Structure formats: C-alpha cells, structure tokens
Amino acid sequence: MKFLKNLGLFLLVAVMLAAWVAMPWQGALALAVLLALWMFLFRSGAQTRSVAAVGISTLTQRLGSSAVIVVGIAGVVGVLVALLAMAEGYAQTLRNSGSLDTAIVMRGASANEVSSSLSREDIVQIEQAPGVARNAKGEPIISAETVAAANLPVRGSKTGDEGSAQVRGISEAAFVVRPNVKIIEGRTFQPGLRELVIGKGAVRQFEGLKVGGTLKLGNQPWTIVGIFASGDAMESELWADANVVNDAYKRGSGRNSATVKLDSPAAIKAFSDALDANPQLKVKASTTLDFFAKQSEQMTKVLRIIGITVGAIMAVGALFGALNTMFAAVATRAREIATLRAIGFRGMPVVVAVMLETMLLALIGGAIGGLLAWAVFNGFEASTMAAGSVGKLSFSLRVSPGLLWEGIKWALAIGFVGGLFPAVRAASLPVTAALREL
C-alpha cells in the first residue's frame, strides 16, 4: 500500500508540473484567486490559514535554513533567465530584420542567401512580377544583393584574433526596402566607388571600424564613409555598392538574392505565385519576416535547450536544498502539528500550509533571481555566428516579461515539489508517535 501511495503521489506531481509548465500567467492568477477564496470562505481553508500564519511567522527564527531555499532558487532562476535571454535577444534581432510588406527571392533550393545565386536575367524577370511596388518614376523597388565574407580583427583581442563579418553589396533601393536603416554618422557610399557604410553592431565587434578609416576587401583598399543603425541583424554588416563588391570578389553580374518592396502585405501571394508559374525562373519568394524567423529557429532552439538543461541541473540542487530544509522544519514542529491534528485539524490544511510556506520562499527567491538577471543582462551585448550567414551577428540579450514569468514558474515548481513531500509526511505522521517526539 505504501508503494502504491508513493507511486500515486509521484504521478500526481508529474501531471501537475506538466500542467503548470504550460499554464499562462492568467491561469496562475486564477488559481491564486481560487486558493484565496477557499482559505477565507471554508473551514478547512481557515485552518490552513492559521497553520500557515504560524509557520510564516517563525521564518525570522530560521533565517539560515530559509536563506538556503531563497538563495538556491534565486541562482536557478537568475542563470535560467540569463541563458534564455540570449535566445530571446537573438530571435528578436532577426525578427526585427523582416516585415510583411517586403519579400526576399532566392534560388529555389536555397535555405539562405549564401547558398543562393540569381542571374541578371532572373532579376529582370523578378522586377516584372505582379505585386512589386514602384517609385514615383514607375521603377520597381527592388534591391538585388550580393553577400560575401571579410575577416576583420576582433575588438579587444590581445592575440590578434580575427572574426568573420558579412559584406552586403546593395543598390540604392536597399534603403527604401529597409526604411529602418538610418545613417547616424558620416554619409552613405557613392555608387561606383570603393566606399563602405558600417553597421554599429559591426563597429562594436571589430577593431578600427570608424568613419574615415580604411580596410581591405578582396585585396583592395576601401574607405569607411558612414555608420548606420537599424535595430536588427543588418547592424552587424558592412554595406557597399553591389557592382563594386562583385568586381572585388569576382562575382560577375549575378547576385545572391533580391529584396522587393510589395504593394501591400497581401501582394505576397500573387507575387510568389507568378514567380512559381514562370518557366524561366527557378526561385522561391517569402516575406522577409518569415525568412528571418526561419533563420532564427535552429539557433534559438539550441540556446533554449542549453538554458533549460543548465537550469534543470541547478534546479535539482535547489530542490534537494528545499527538501532538506523543509523536512528539518517539519521535524522541529512535529509535536505542534500533531497537537493541531489531535484537536480537530485535518491533514489537508497541514499539507497546504507547509507547501504555502515553501512556495513563499521560492517566490521570493524567484523574484530576486529574475530581477538580478534583468538588472545585469537585459541589453547586454553579445555576438555569435548567424545562421545562414558568413558573418557574426551582434545582438542584445532581452529579458522580457515572458522570461521573468518563466523563471517564476520554475521557482514555484521547485517550491511545490520541495514542500509537498515534507508536508505529506507531516500530515501522515501518527499523532501518538509525533506527540512522543522531543
């Protein structure tokens, strides 16, 4: 019977934790309201309130043991939120790079720009497709672009390390299809000249990138004439005239991709269908929002797996700390709990009261860990190789309200499990045996 009881308790915990993980904050708020109503409207709830009040009032007398739970859970939540903030910041940076009213066109089987190639004839056909927006002169708004790699010295490296930066050859329409790109220092490049504008993310990553500086691309000297900001993945790139980039890297007249301004977000279907139906083309089109969202999926998944794995390992340690602390607390209050049960208190109020005490400590620890992660890591600059790119992507860690809530859920889950088993032991201990304990 004892084995079946423990098995049933284990399965109950597993089901409740699975439901808790999937629960939004609105559901948790509803549970808190229902618990409060039960504690104030029902006799068993009033008993729970009385037992919990006594336990919580003695926390100041158990600061050392209580701090074990708070500090342990704060560490778990802080590390978890910081690691997940990397995934959130990376994904958000790429999502900001796209929109619903622009489309990117690449070679049909290509998963990214690097592996794609478009001929000059392809680009002419794409320009004539329905749904392409036109400027005041009636010209299609399209930027046919080339991407290439450049090895640059990493900023702050004492060993002369080099990193890869992505060079993007663009047309003048690039600033129209990406209106968020703004020159914040210097000026834009002049077509036909070996001039560069640098994203401010690249400036943070690499040494010597400043207006008036020079660097070598394709064994040729280039002059940096401006710095731009965009708030997205483009900030990590170096931009120049596409024809000059092609000459420097011996690419001929082809391009890697074409970014198109659409008449409206709804025009993507007609545009894509027309390209698919054209027998002279073997290309595919998608909104830039969809394209960059897909580019972020794999790396975001990897970063989340790392964060959850590290968090889970730390959570096991925090859980054992909570279990030891609460078992000790229950043992010191065994006679008190037995006395309450002898005078008519039921087992359920005792279980809930002990768990409320543990979850309160867990909530405090979770809040401290989340706030520390937000204060230290929100906006922290990081960089990594971007998926489907030949250069590093600079991004800011983002501690969003959703991540803070995820951290709080982890804290409360640890508190729930850490308090449940000691609480069940306290409620199931025979009254006569507990009263005989010193």
Side-chain angles (χ1 to χ4, degrees):
M1 286 297 295
K2 186 176 181 181
F3 171 77
L4 293 176
K5 180 180 178 181
N6 290 335
L7 179 61
L9 185 61
F10 176 79
L11 293 176
L12 176 63
V13 169
V15 171
M16 294 185 71
L17 286 179
W20 178 248
V21 168
M23 185 176 294
W25 67 267
Q26 295 91 337
L29 181 61
L31 281 179
V33 171
L34 290 175
L35 178 62
L37 291 174
W38 174 70
M39 291 177 64
F40 282 94
L41 298 179
F42 294 90
R43 181 172 178 269
S44 58
Q47 291 179 346
T48 300
R49 195 170 72 249
S50 300
V51 178
V54 173
I56 292 171
S57 66
T58 62
L59 287 177
T60 54
Q61 303 170 19
R62 298 180 278 124
L63 284 178
S65 59
S66 299
V68 171
I69 299 177
V70 173
V71 172
I73 292 178
V76 173
V77 172
V79 171
L80 175 72
V81 171
L83 290 173
L84 294 182
M86 292 180 63
E88 184 73 15
Y90 180 89
Q92 187 62 47
T93 298
L94 284 175
R95 285 196 298 267
N96 289 345
S97 305
S99 65
L100 290 172
D101 62 350
T102 56
I104 185 168
V105 184
M106 298 184 299
R107 178 63 58 186
S110 303
N112 50 61
E113 290 181 278
V114 177
S115 60
S116 171
S117 64
L118 299 175
S119 67
R120 181 57 196 163
E121 291 73 22
D122 292 335
I123 296 167
V124 171
Q125 293 286 333
I126 293 168
E127 291 175 343
Q128 297 172 357
V132 178
R134 296 182 177 274
N135 58 23
K137 298 178 181 179
E139 300 167 337
I141 303 175
I142 176 173
S143 179
E145 300 176 348
T146 296
V147 292
N151 291 323
L152 302 176
V154 176
R155 178 180 288 274
S157 175
K158 297 180 180 179
T159 57
D161 293 337
E162 291 188 339
S164 180
Q166 181 157 286
V167 180
R168 182 176 294 273
I170 62 171
S171 69
E172 293 181 5
F175 292 93
V176 180
V177 296
R178 301 183 184 93
N180 55 314
V181 176
K182 306 293 183 185
I183 300 294
I184 58 174
E185 185 179 345
R187 59 174 175 82
T188 188
F189 60 83
Q190 294 184 23
L193 299 181
R194 289 197 296 271
E195 294 182 340
L196 293 162
V197 289
I198 311 295
K200 69 174 187 178
V203 174
R204 290 193 299 265
Q205 293 183 67
F206 301 106
E207 197 71 53
L209 299 187
K210 59 182 179 180
V211 175
T214 60
L215 53 86
K216 278 193 174 183
L217 299 179
N219 294 321
Q220 297 174 349
W222 294 66
T223 303
I224 300 171
V225 297
I227 297 173
F228 69 87
S230 60
D232 57 24
M234 300 300 149
E235 278 190 1
S236 301
E237 297 184 344
L238 289 64
W239 284 14
D241 180 68
N243 291 325
V244 183
V245 171
N246 274 28
D247 290 342
Y249 285 89
K250 298 178 173 58
R251 296 287 187 86
S253 61
R255 301 289 190 268
N256 289 101
S257 66
T259 302
V260 176
K261 178 74 173 176
L262 299 173
D263 287 329
S264 69
I268 182 61
K269 187 177 187 310
F271 177 68
S272 180
D273 289 346
L275 297 183
D276 291 340
N278 190 332
Q280 298 178 354
L281 292 174
K282 293 181 180 179
V283 299
K284 64 177 180 179
S286 63
T287 65
T288 53
L289 184 64
D290 289 341
F291 172 75
F292 284 106
K294 288 179 181 177
Q295 294 294 300
S296 71
E297 283 178 359
Q298 192 63 34
M299 180 61 75
T300 301
K301 188 180 297 183
V302 169
L303 291 174
R304 284 192 63 85
I305 289 173
I306 293 172
I308 291 173
T309 301
V310 173
I313 294 171
M314 294 186 64
V316 172
L319 178 59
F320 278 110
L323 284 169
N324 289 335
T325 299
M326 293 313 298
F327 270 123
V330 167
T332 58
R333 297 173 58 194
R335 295 186 66 183
E336 171 197 331
I337 292 171
T339 302
L340 291 172
R341 291 180 59 207
I343 63 177
F345 278 65
R346 298 177 182 176
M348 178 61 73
V350 174
V351 171
V352 177
V354 173
M355 290 181 63
L356 284 176
E357 183 180 333
T358 314
M359 294 182 73
L360 175 62
L361 294 174
L363 180 61
I364 294 172
I368 292 173
L371 288 174
L372 284 175
W374 178 82
V376 175
F377 294 103
N378 190 46
F380 184 83
E381 298 292 338
S383 64
T384 186
M385 285 300 295
S389 170
V390 292
K392 281 189 172 183
L393 172 67
S394 176
F395 63 96
S396 299
L397 274 65
R398 183 171 180 266
V399 181
S400 64
L403 287 188
L404 292 176
W405 167 236
E406 193 163 346
I408 292 296
K409 283 205 295 186
W410 273 61
L412 292 176
I414 295 170
F416 175 82
V417 178
L420 177 62
F421 293 97
V424 171
R425 182 183 184 279
S428 59
L429 188 67
V431 174
T432 53
L435 289 174
R436 287 197 298 268
E437 291 186 8
L438 295 178

